[in-house]
Amino acid sequence: MKLIIQIPCLNERDTLAQTFADLPRSIDGVDEIEVLIIDDGSTDGTSSLAEQLGIHHIVRFAKNRGLAAGFMAGIDACLRLGADIIVNTDADNQYRGAEIPKLVAPILDGRADLVIGDRQTDRIEHFSPLKKVLQRWGSRLIRRLSATEVADSPSGFRAVSRKAALQLFVHNRFTYTLETVIQAGRRGLAVANVKITTNPKTRESRLFRSIPDYLRRAGPVMFRAYAMYRPVQLVGWVATVLLVFGFALGVRFLYFYLRNPDYSGYIQSLIVGTGAVVMACILVAVALLAELIATNRRLVEEVLMRVRRIETELAEREPTLRLEGIRSTGAKPWHNQQMQPARASAR
């Protein structure tokens, strides 16, 4: 059982050493642990420091590509490196390394494919009252969109099984947190929550400038992710409202027309109602086309998942393919010393 802890980084030289030192070197049920950083175009020597610290693997972008791209590059690299479980954490030391054994436990027990660390945001002191309310409402919305019981959907502290990692595809550039939860829930993966505590705040978020900025960028991500998996349901509600509205106006016109056929004062209701019905019919046609496109996308994702599985299997046999785009420092993996005698006796 191999665990790889991936850490997306953007100019994290000041906090990377502390984050790395805080990671667990041994976890019950895990044979070996490695660490991978994804350097998203840092200009402060983050990669050089990572090599000095003895971090096992480095993926570096020459130019900043965004958190979502970094997350997916890390997932791809971890799979090629043979990870059975992938843990994602932040380089600013927001999340406590001591919580990682708790985070991976549901996967080791076979109870979950994706485990998300619940920061219990109502208890975080540096969160403003407005931010706490928005976090609560946002997670509630994600629960409805994803059909899961996720408690803290924006949390980046999460563990992913190999099965889930093969099936996750992020399509936006902003963040992976919301889209992957919706995707996992709609693909039928088991999602679990684990309550965690966090370290004191070290710096401001680099993902967004303010709460309005986050809402402006996260809203389209949620809408697009849900539309990809439930297009008929999304468009169907709008079409139903327009259809009911159009028929109601038509009935209104007909009622007054039958009462007084010589008076045409309610012709506006007929025009607007007809337009609403026509728009509803167009939306129904769009919904059917969207469902056909979504079906093709699901088939393409199934093919991509199989290709990804084949590539990871080939990478285990071919070191060149395994390390393509990954710089390994030569640091030895952290082995679970408690399990060494058991493996030796088994041999």
Side-chain angles (χ1 to χ4, degrees), residues 22 36 91 152 154 158 174 187 215 253 289:
D22 194 42
L36 164 79
D152 184 11
R158 49 185 64 191
F174 177 51
R187 292 185 71 92
L215 295 176
F253 169 80
L289 289 174

Side-chain angles (χ1 to χ4, degrees), residues 131-144:
K131 189 172 183 178
K132 291 178 180 179
V133 170
L134 291 175
Q135 289 274 2
R136 195 181 310 123
W137 287 356
S139 293
R140 187 178 303 163
L141 176 60
I142 292 295
R143 283 195 290 273
R144 293 181 63 88

Side-chain angles (χ1 to χ4, degrees), residues 99 102 116-120 123 193-197:
E99 303 279 14
K102 188 193 303 184
I116 299 175
D118 176 11
R119 295 170 293 175
Q120 307 175 77
R123 301 182 180 180
N193 301 291
V194 170
K195 291 184 178 181
I196 61 168
T197 56

Side-chain angles (χ1 to χ4, degrees), residues 46-103:
T46 295
S47 292
S48 299
L49 176 62
E51 196 164 356
Q52 295 171 17
L53 293 172
I55 289 176
H56 304 88
H57 309 287
I58 300 169
V59 173
R60 174 169 169 74
F61 297 158
K63 181 180 178 181
N64 179 262
R65 298 184 189 177
L67 181 60
F71 174 81
M72 287 309 302
I75 290 291
D76 179 67
C78 289
L79 287 171
R80 285 191 283 131
L81 289 166
D84 297 294
I85 303 175
I86 303 168
V87 166
N88 186 87
T89 189
D90 287 353
D92 62 358
N93 203 37
Q94 174 187 176
Y95 305 112
R96 299 177 63 242
E99 303 279 14
I100 291 179
K102 188 193 303 184
L103 194 70

Side-chain angles (χ1 to χ4, degrees), residues 126-138 174 201 204-205 207-220 222:
H126 65 265
F127 275 22
S128 66
L130 176 60
K131 189 172 183 178
K132 291 178 180 179
V133 170
L134 291 175
Q135 289 274 2
R136 195 181 310 123
W137 287 356
F174 177 51
K201 182 179 179 181
E204 296 295 333
S205 172
L207 184 62
F208 55 92
R209 294 186 296 271
S210 62
I211 292 178
D213 180 54
Y214 178 81
L215 295 176
R216 178 182 63 82
R217 301 176 70 180
M222 291 187 285

